[in-house]
Amino acid sequence: MKFILTVIFGIISLTLNAQKQIEASASLSRTSELKDEQLNNSGASKLTFITEEKEGEKLAKLDIHNGTPLLLLIGGIAPTTMANDSQFENKYGIYFYDFGCTGPDHEIVVAYNITVAKYLNKRYGKNWLKEVRNDIIGFKEWTRK
């Protein structure tokens, strides 16, 4: 009887933990820890509701000022993380943020990311470009200029 109860409680525990993980990554995800309050107050959470690229730039500048600059991704059904994402985030003081398969308007995301890229260039020089993910929205076009 003890064995059966142990198995049942184990299954319930695993189910609850899996549910918490699904809920935590349901809307937007990232590799390092960003507090819910920081995430909810970030420009990324507001990008879906804006229509002008200038507004995206302003939100990026506000995130930089608040110490929570993000590099935005629009991936597939499941967010993709790279092995060195956390190291990059810690080294350069930014966060990767993946909207999944749906996200804000492409041009607004590009405007946000370019603003963050300019900040990284100003603060760290161009070395960060050798280490950043190549799937950041807008970077291929920006680096060609």
Side-chain angles (χ1 to χ4, degrees), residues 86-145:
S86 293
Q87 294 168 336
F88 184 89
E89 289 173 326
N90 291 331
K91 183 174 181 179
Y92 294 105
I94 61 97
Y95 299 92
F96 289 113
Y97 199 76
D98 193 332
F99 285 98
C101 58
T102 59
D105 181 66
H106 179 81
E107 296 305 318
I108 291 172
V109 173
V110 170
Y112 183 100
N113 278 342
I114 299 297
T115 303
V116 174
K118 290 176 181 176
Y119 156 77
L120 289 171
N121 266 355
K122 185 175 181 180
R123 182 157 183 178
Y124 299 103
K126 294 189 179 189
N127 287 335
W128 68 275
L129 285 167
K130 297 173 188 168
E131 300 173 46
V132 73
R133 293 175 60 154
N134 64 1
D135 57 345
I136 303 295
I137 305 299
F139 271 27
K140 289 179 184 174
E141 299 85 2
W142 179 71
T143 54
R144 289 182 195 142
K145 292 180 180 182

Side-chain angles (χ1 to χ4, degrees), residues 25-92:
S25 65
S27 69
L28 302 168
S29 66
R30 52 172 308 331
T31 51
S32 294
E33 292 300 317
L34 189 63
K35 295 178 184 169
D36 287 339
E37 183 179 339
Q38 292 172 305
L39 182 60
N40 293 335
N41 292 327
S42 74
S45 66
K46 298 169 182 70
L47 289 177
T48 305
F49 306 105
I50 64 173
T51 57
E52 301 289 326
E53 292 174 32
K54 290 285 184 196
E55 293 175 65
E57 293 172 11
K58 287 180 187 177
L59 289 173
K61 289 177 183 176
L62 185 60
D63 284 347
I64 291 166
H65 176 74
N66 291 335
T68 55
L70 305 161
L71 289 174
L72 306 175
L73 303 146
I74 299 177
I77 293 171
T80 303
T81 57
M82 304 295 180
N84 63 345
D85 283 354
S86 293
Q87 294 168 336
F88 184 89
E89 289 173 326
N90 291 331
K91 183 174 181 179
Y92 294 105

